[in-house]
Amino acid sequence: IARCRTPTEVAQAIAYGRQDGADIAIRSGGHCFAGRSSTTGVLIDVSPMNDVRLDDGRVTVGAGAKLAQIYDALEPNGVTIAGGCGPTVGIAGLALGGGIGILGRRHGLTCDQVVAAEVVLADGSAITADDDLLWALRGSGGGQFGVVTSLTLRTVPAPQTICFHARRPHEEAADLIAAWQAWAPDAPASVAASLLVNPSGVHLFGAAAPGDALLDGVTADVVELPYREAKRWLAENGPGEGDDSPFASRSEYFDANLPEDAIRALVEHFPHGGPLRELDFNPLGGAYNDPAPDAAAFPHRSARFLLKHTAALDDRDWLRRSYEITHPHGSGGAYVNFPDPTLDDPLTAYHGPNLDRLRRVKAAYDPDGVFRFPQSI
């Protein structure tokens, strides 16, 4: 494990790995669902590279910076970045694969905010990403072309935020899923309302702007907080089951709503799994879908929502069937930040029509395939 503090140390670690013919993996936050931030070869850990510098409305962050650290550093200036709520998630992995969060429907993916990147290539050279490489880094997934050592992102105003968490019984799941998918992707861009189904019930969870009317007549926990405090509240009051056991997940984007029969089959199947099972519906639309599909490597710009199915590792039959129920109605696209080792054609699912261009960028910047892992370009 090479805990690198400078681009020079990153270059030395790459050279060491190449000399021994070892696999090379890269770790920022270490949250990869498929375990690809670990290896039996050389692990380049960039977590010591965690500086945060704000200048003229842009923030430059070391690739090892965690989200909580970035939010804390920006809070006194009244700005933030459009990112997720997990405080220990690394900025590099999040941004390089897309990045969904409560400000995304207003401002877009985290990768849409990236305006510059510093990268160490396989030959050890440290470069500022040019237009082609920067395009590829914005949504293709981490560790594909080199080791990113810093990112520069646009900041956005840190708004006063309403946080909410409403709970309903499983008996209402089918009606709630149908109502949610017809409403949440078309709600005002200030509303980020996820719907989660887990063993404890059905949960509407997320954030909105003061004045948004979304919970009239619904019993819910509702608080109004400054943005940084809202992030803490969402991280600490989510509907998760609090179990850190290993899990597997499958994801898919949906350009159209699930039909009634699919919702009914999904809800009828749900009780037949283990304690870690979960359906996580995330609304898209808004600024997520403003860019053209080829404006950045992230191609899924027509989706209404993303559905993630999750189960324990020993509950894969339940997971497979849950995915099979909804898959005929999905776009075929999958979120690269939720890597799925069971996909039949992962590169097409992750990258869609941008795959050919990504392969050309890969050939230009990593012609020897030094940065290679299952489902890499």
Side-chain angles (χ1 to χ4, degrees), residues 58-89:
R58 297 180 173 185
V59 61
T60 298
V61 295
K66 309 297 191 294
L67 292 184
Q69 178 190 358
I70 297 170
Y71 297 145
D72 288 345
L74 295 178
E75 180 186 20
N77 300 280
V79 297
T80 189
I81 59 171
C85 290
T88 61
V89 171

Side-chain angles (χ1 to χ4, degrees), residues 337-355:
N337 273 359
F338 297 160
D340 179 358
T342 66
L343 284 169
D344 293 333
D345 185 2
L347 295 185
T348 299
Y350 296 143
H351 310 301
N354 292 334
L355 179 56

Side-chain angles (χ1 to χ4, degrees), residues 35-271:
R36 292 170 189 157
S37 51
S38 297
T39 180
T40 57
V42 174
L43 176 62
I44 297 175
D45 183 346
V46 299
S47 58
M49 305 172 70
N50 60 7
D51 289 346
V52 180
R53 304 188 308 277
L54 180 64
D55 182 33
D56 195 25
R58 297 180 173 185
V59 61
T60 298
V61 295
K66 309 297 191 294
L67 292 184
Q69 178 190 358
I70 297 170
Y71 297 145
D72 288 345
L74 295 178
E75 180 186 20
N77 300 280
V79 297
T80 189
I81 59 171
C85 290
T88 61
V89 171
I91 183 61
L94 179 76
L96 297 177
I100 296 171
I102 62 172
L103 293 181
R105 301 189 69 249
R106 296 194 218 187
H107 299 290
L109 297 159
T110 309
C111 72
D112 294 334
Q113 318 306 314
V114 174
V115 296
E118 303 297 323
V119 188
V120 179
L121 301 179
D123 64 4
S125 58
I127 66 166
T128 299
D130 64 8
D131 289 346
D132 270 356
L133 182 55
L134 187 62
W135 175 89
L137 293 174
R138 294 172 64 205
S140 64
Q144 305 264 29
F145 308 100
V147 181
V148 171
T149 55
S150 75
L151 295 165
T152 300
L153 302 94
R154 287 186 293 266
T155 61
V156 300
Q160 190 77 1
T161 301
I162 301 291
C163 301
F164 55 86
H165 183 184
R167 304 163 180 84
R168 304 301 297 168
H170 287 124
E171 291 77 13
E172 300 180 26
D175 289 342
L176 291 169
I177 292 170
W180 178 90
Q181 68 176 2
W183 162 73
D186 299 316
S190 54
V191 177
S194 294
L195 190 76
L196 294 97
V197 184
N198 63 26
S200 65
V202 185
H203 305 261
L204 183 70
F205 180 75
D212 285 330
L214 72 159
L215 292 170
D216 293 344
V218 177
T219 301
D221 297 331
V222 180
V223 295
E224 180 175 344
L225 297 166
Y227 184 75
R228 181 65 189 100
E229 292 304 312
K231 280 288 191 182
R232 291 192 181 97
W233 191 94
L234 291 166
E236 295 169 1
N237 293 275
E241 297 301 294
D243 190 329
D244 293 329
S245 301
F247 62 88
S249 70
R250 306 203 68 179
S251 72
E252 188 162 13
Y253 292 96
F254 290 79
D255 294 344
N257 293 344
L258 286 168
E260 182 181 345
D261 60 343
I263 294 174
R264 185 170 57 252
L266 187 65
V267 170
E268 288 174 354
H269 172 68
F270 184 79

